[in-house]
Amino acid sequence: MKIRALIVDDEPLPRRRSRALLRGESDVEVVGDCGDVPNLSVRMFLNVARGDDDRDSNEGIVRSFYLSFKTKHWPWEKYPKVFYDLRALETAFSKRASLHAKCIVVDRMKCFVSSANFTRAGFCSAPPASGSAVLPDA
């Protein structure tokens, strides 16, 4: 069984580069990109953080993040489940946490783990700068 991959980026070039990179992987099947999102259950763990000088309420920060995410980063009707670490919203800098994004894709056979550095810089170098691993089902 292959890993089913969904390519999500608002720019056409990174989507094409991602598809080209994954085309050579025998264990990966690209099931869609950008506007043709199939019926997948998507969960995202994101860094919703308070800025150093931000005095807004936690609810205000989360709402601003949500509106930005909804309008700039996820144009599809079916929204993913989004999780974040509440410690990132602490007003005391010494108590704050930061979530370094990871990409984990699991199907019934394998688990793909990668740094989620899906940036323009990451796709302009070959191979991508971040490391990844495919782990077989134990």
Side-chain angles (χ1 to χ4, degrees):
M1 184 180 261
K2 292 185 174 193
I3 294 172
R4 295 172 51 202
L6 172 65
I7 300 169
V8 179
D9 198 298
D10 59 348
E11 295 287 330
L13 178 60
R15 287 197 312 267
R16 287 194 303 270
R17 296 279 310 257
S18 297
R19 191 177 283 274
L21 286 169
L22 293 173
R23 192 174 295 128
E25 299 296 325
S26 61
D27 291 344
V28 178
E29 172 192 4
V30 176
V31 296
D33 67 27
C34 200
D36 61 345
V37 177
N39 188 18
L40 296 178
S41 176
V42 178
R43 291 171 182 83
M44 300 181 88
F45 298 83
L46 303 172
N47 192 38
V48 179
R50 176 182 298 280
D52 290 339
D53 297 325
D54 195 343
R55 299 292 173 229
D56 200 358
S57 67
N58 289 356
E59 294 80 13
I61 293 169
V62 171
R63 179 163 176 71
S64 293
F65 183 91
Y66 166 76
L67 292 173
S68 174
F69 180 81
K70 181 178 159 183
T71 57
K72 297 178 183 175
H73 304 290
W74 195 269
W76 305 282
E77 291 180 24
K78 184 178 176 185
Y79 292 108
K81 291 183 180 180
V82 174
F83 301 90
Y84 59 94
D85 189 334
L86 287 171
R87 296 174 299 171
L89 299 171
E90 284 285 343
T91 53
F93 184 78
S94 63
K95 294 182 179 181
R96 281 191 207 151
S98 177
L99 179 64
H100 177 76
K102 296 292 180 206
C103 173
I104 302 173
V105 180
V106 180
D107 66 13
R108 292 186 177 104
M109 300 288 292
K110 296 186 180 178
C111 173
F112 173 75
V113 181
S114 176
S115 178
N117 296 327
F118 299 127
T119 61
R120 186 177 310 278
F123 285 103
C124 290
S125 63
S130 61
S132 61
V134 175
L135 309 171
D137 190 16

